Amino acid sequence: MNIQGILDFEQNDTELIHLANISCEAHDLRNVVVLAVHAGRIYTVLHAVDLSANSTFDGVSDKKETNFHTFTEYFENTHGIVLRHPSQPLLAVKPNHKPHNLLSSKFRNEGNHVKTNGDTSHVNNGDSCVHMPPELLIPLNLSEDILRAFYLFPSLMHRIETLMLASQLRSEISYDDSNISSFLILEAITTLRCSEDFSMERLELLGDSVLKYAVSCHLFLESPDKDEGHLSSSRAAIISNAALYGLGMERKIQGYVRDAAFDPCRWLAPGQLSIHPVPCNCSVDSEVVTQDIHVLEDTPIVKIGQACDKGHRWMCSKTISDCVEAVIGAYYVGGGLRAAVAVLKWLGVDAEIEEELIVHTILSAPVKNCLPKIGVIGMLEAKLGYTFSLKGLLLEALTHPSQRESAERYSYQRLEFLGDAVLDILITRHLFNSHEDTDEGELTDLQSASVNNENFAQVAVKHKLHQFLQHSCRSLADQITEYENSLENSSMEKIELLSDAALRGPKVLGDIIESIAGAILIDAKLDLDVVWGVFRPLLSPIATPANLELPPFRELLELCSKNGYFLETNFTDGEKIEATLLVQLKEKLIVRQSCGKSKKDAKAHAASKLLEDIEKEGLLIPKNAGRMQQLQKQHGGTANRCNNVFDAMDTQPPTPTSGKKSDASKIIASLDKPVHVPVNTSRGGPRAALQGEGLLIPKNASRTQQLQKQGGTADLCNNLFDAMGTQLPTTTNGNKSYG
C-alpha cells in the first residue's frame, strides 16, 4: 500500500475508511499490517464488514465482553475512547500469531493443526478474527510476509546465542588437537527440559562409561600394589555424582547448562525490557546463589530451570553432574579418548595414561610359571582367537582368590576391576554408534541388558570358558555345575536374563569374562579395538531394540502404569524371601507368589508369572507373536480368548489328599497357581477393593493387626483362598469347574 498517496484524514469522502492517522479506500487495506493504538497489539486487516460502531455489540472485539449494547459504548466505557466516526464500517482484523518455539518439533507446529473432515478437536486460532473501529488502527508500511519473517528472529537469535555459549565453553576447555563441533557441545549442555530434538542424555550415558574407563586405567597403572577393593573405592570417590557436581561447580559449568524450554515471548533484543515479568519467589537478594533452595526456604516455590527477573535459575545437582559426563562424552565422540582425557584434566581429574606407565606395568608383571599349564593356555587362546604375548596375564585372569590361599600369590581381581570398565565402554560405544536414532531411555535399557554379571556369566558357560577357571573351592564347583546344567536344560539359542533366583550364575563366571578383557587390554597396550575384536563374537548376539527384553518387574510396572492397573507388592521374611504381587485388572484381581534368596529375585520371579497370566488373559501381546497376531490383539482382541482362567494357565487344580498337608506342601502348591478374584471397583477404586478383600493392610492399622495380616509364610499361603472369599477348584467328570 502506498501510504504517501492516501488522502488526508480530514477529507469527508464517505467511501473512505478513516484510520487513526490517514484515510484510504477499503480494498487498499486488505492484508495490511496495522497497530491498535488502544491495545498496543499488531493485527492484519482481512476486510471491511457490514457493521459499524453503532451496531449491536456482539463481543467480537479485542476482548470478549457481552454487557455492552454497542461498540461505541464498549470502547467509551472500557477504554475511555469516544469514536469520531462511529458510522463507518468496522474492519475484520486477525490477531498475529504469537511467536512459537521453532527450535523444537514439539512446538514447531503448535497452533497450526488444520481441521480435517470429521475432526473437531482443534482449529487454528489464527483463523479467528475480531472487529475493530478503523480510527483506532495505524497502518504499518509492512507486508504480512515480512511480519511473519520477524517471528523467526527469537528462535534464530536464541540458537545463535546458545551456539556462542557452547563455543565459549569449548574455548575454556581449550583442547586444540581436534575440532570439536559447537553443535556437539550444545547437545551436551541441553537437558530434556528444553524440549528440543536433542538432549545430553545419550552423551551422558557414553561419557559415564568413558569416565569410568579412563579413571580405572589410570588407577590400575599408577597403583600396581593396590588390591581390587582399594581401586574400586578410589574410583567411586572420583566418578560419583557428588564428586562430579563439585568439579562442575568449581568450573562454573552450571552457567552453561540449558535447563528450560525456550520461550520466544520472553526473548529480548539488547536494550529491551521484558513485558512478561517473572517475579522472584525465593528469598534471595544476591544474583549468584550456590545453596540448596530447601536450605533457604522450608516451602520453596520455584520452577526448575527457569530464570526469574533477579537472574536466579535453580537446577538439580544431578543435572550438573550429568552435564559434566555429557561434555566428556561429546569430546570423546569428537576427538577420541585423548580429547576426553583433556576434559578430565580441565576439570581437575588426573586420568592421564602415559606410555611409560603402560610399559612399566608390562615389564613389572610377575613372571608366572606357565609351563605346567601351557596346554590349557593354548586351548583358551584358540577359543578367544587371540595369542597373548604375556602368557602370565591370561593365567592371572583365570586364577580365583581361593587358589591364591593355597599356592599362588595372585588372582584375577585386579584385572576384573579393569575389565569391568573395558567391557562397559566397548558395549556402550557399540550401542551408541549402532543405534543413532534410539532415544536415551531405550539406549539405557540396551546397556543395562548387555552390561551385567548375569549376561557375562551366560557368555562364559556358552563358550565353555568356565572350564579354564583355576580355583580350590569345592562349593564353587558345585554352584557352577548346577548353573551350567540349568542353562543346558533351558534354550541356549536365546540368551536372556533369567528371573529365577535358583538359576542366577555365580559371580565368578562374570568376573572371569571381565578379567580376560582386562588381560587382553594390558597385553595389547590399551588398544580397545583389539579387545573389541576378541569380545564382539563372544558377546554376540548383543541386545537390540528388536529383541530387547526388560526385567520382568520393570515390564510389569510399565504395563500397569500404561493401562491404569493397580499393583501391590508385599514381602514375607523367612528362610527365603517370599514376594506376593497383586495386580488389579478392570474386573479381576490376579495374585502371584514366589520365593527367592532376595527381595529382587522373588519379586522378579512373581512378576514373570504375572506377565504370563496377563498375556493369557489377552491383555499383553506376546513378544514372539506374528504381525497378524499383534494387530489382532491391538484391534479388537482375539476371538479365542480363554473363558476359563485355569485352562488358560494350563495348570492342574489342587486335589485333596488323605491326611493333613504339611505347611511346605501348601506353599509349593499355591505358588504355581494364579489367584483370580472378581472385585467391584465402582466404590473406592482398586485400593479400597483390596482392603475389602483383606489383601491390603490399611496404613492406620495397629502393629498387631499388621503382623497378623503378614503372618508367616505357611499361614499366608494356607489361607490365601479363604482371605479372598473363593472356593478351591474341584474336578467333576474329568472337567474343571470353579466356585
Side-chain angles (χ1 to χ4, degrees), residues 53 80 134 136 141 144 153 172 174 213 253 316 392 458 494 518 521 565 605 610 631 721:
L136 299 181
N141 195 11
E144 185 181 17
F153 272 27
E172 285 201 20
S174 64
Y213 171 75
I253 204 169
C316 302
Q458 294 181 9
K494 184 178 182 182
L521 182 75
Y565 301 150
H605 199 191
L610 272 175
L631 290 175
F721 286 94

Side-chain angles (χ1 to χ4, degrees), residues 60-317:
V60 185
S61 183
D62 58 343
K63 290 186 179 180
K64 301 296 183 182
E65 304 288 348
T66 58
N67 55 345
F68 299 101
H69 296 292
T70 64
F71 286 90
T72 301
E73 182 182 346
Y74 165 72
F75 282 102
E76 182 176 356
N77 288 276
T78 303
H79 300 285
I81 298 174
V82 178
L83 299 177
R84 297 177 59 184
H85 303 277
S87 61
Q88 68 175 337
L90 299 179
L91 295 179
V93 296
K94 178 179 65 175
N96 283 285
H97 297 283
K98 292 182 179 180
H100 295 299
N101 181 2
L102 303 178
L103 304 177
S104 169
S105 59
K106 178 180 179 181
F107 302 116
R108 194 172 297 137
N109 297 321
E110 186 178 285
N112 294 330
H113 176 72
V114 180
K115 180 180 176 182
T116 58
N117 293 334
D119 181 10
T120 59
S121 60
H122 180 69
V123 181
N124 189 342
N125 292 329
D127 293 337
S128 61
C129 66
V130 297
H131 296 154
M132 198 77 69
E135 60 189 275
L136 299 181
L137 304 175
I138 298 177
L140 305 177
N141 195 11
L142 191 69
S143 69
E144 185 181 17
D145 293 337
I146 294 178
L147 180 65
R148 287 181 179 274
F150 284 165
Y151 288 106
L152 295 174
F153 272 27
S155 296
L156 178 62
M157 294 303 297
H158 181 73
R159 175 60 78 232
I160 293 175
E161 291 171 6
T162 55
L163 285 172
M164 292 175 64
L165 191 69
S167 179
Q168 181 179 339
L169 177 58
R170 181 178 59 190
S171 299
E172 285 201 20
I173 297 175
S174 64
Y175 177 70
D176 300 327
D177 292 348
S178 180
N179 186 21
I180 308 297
S181 168
S182 296
F183 283 98
L184 199 58
I185 299 177
L186 177 62
E187 182 178 344
I189 60 177
T190 303
T191 69
L192 284 172
R193 288 191 182 92
C194 293
S195 300
E196 296 202 11
D197 297 335
F198 56 85
S199 71
M200 65 171 64
E201 302 297 316
R202 284 174 54 89
L203 289 174
E204 181 262 327
L205 183 69
L206 179 63
D208 176 67
S209 298
V210 174
L211 172 64
K212 179 180 178 181
Y213 171 75
V215 172
S216 298
C217 284
H218 177 77
L219 292 174
F220 183 91
L221 297 174
E222 190 183 53
S223 307
D225 298 329
K226 302 296 183 181
D227 59 21
E228 182 267 343
H230 185 275
L231 294 176
S232 296
S233 60
S234 299
R235 180 175 66 187
I238 296 174
I239 69 175
S240 66
N241 283 333
L244 295 179
Y245 165 74
L247 295 174
M249 291 293 292
E250 289 179 6
R251 284 297 182 177
K252 295 182 172 53
I253 204 169
Q254 68 273 15
Y256 294 96
V257 178
R258 302 174 58 243
D259 198 31
F262 171 57
D263 183 1
C265 294
R266 297 196 71 237
W267 177 81
L268 296 176
Q272 281 188 318
L273 296 177
S274 176
I275 61 174
H276 300 282
V278 179
C280 182
N281 293 319
C282 56
S283 57
V284 179
D285 296 327
S286 60
E287 294 185 359
V288 180
V289 184
T290 58
Q291 287 180 282
D292 190 334
I293 183 63
H294 294 279
V295 176
L296 303 173
E297 293 186 359
D298 294 334
T299 57
I301 307 176
V302 296
K303 186 175 182 179
I304 298 296
Q306 185 183 65
C308 66
D309 291 339
K310 288 185 179 181
H312 301 148
R313 188 165 63 104
W314 301 94
M315 66 179 63
C316 302
S317 59

Side-chain angles (χ1 to χ4, degrees), residues 276-393:
H276 300 282
V278 179
C280 182
N281 293 319
C282 56
S283 57
V284 179
D285 296 327
S286 60
E287 294 185 359
V288 180
V289 184
T290 58
Q291 287 180 282
D292 190 334
I293 183 63
H294 294 279
V295 176
L296 303 173
E297 293 186 359
D298 294 334
T299 57
I301 307 176
V302 296
K303 186 175 182 179
I304 298 296
Q306 185 183 65
C308 66
D309 291 339
K310 288 185 179 181
H312 301 148
R313 188 165 63 104
W314 301 94
M315 66 179 63
C316 302
S317 59
K318 189 176 185 301
T319 300
I320 298 175
S321 60
D322 288 348
C323 182
V324 170
E325 293 176 332
V327 172
I328 295 171
Y331 270 72
Y332 181 77
V333 172
L337 185 61
R338 189 177 297 275
V341 172
V343 177
L344 293 176
K345 184 177 180 180
W346 173 72
L347 290 167
V349 177
D350 187 9
E352 289 284 347
I353 303 175
E354 301 177 359
E355 188 72 23
E356 292 78 6
L357 286 177
I358 301 175
V359 175
H360 180 266
T361 300
I362 295 176
L363 294 178
S364 61
V367 180
K368 305 173 180 65
N369 186 8
C370 305
L371 291 179
K373 302 174 182 177
I374 194 65
V376 173
I377 293 177
M379 292 173 60
L380 181 54
E381 287 179 332
K383 275 185 171 292
L384 297 174
Y386 178 82
T387 302
F388 278 80
S389 300
L390 297 173
K391 308 294 184 183
L393 280 174

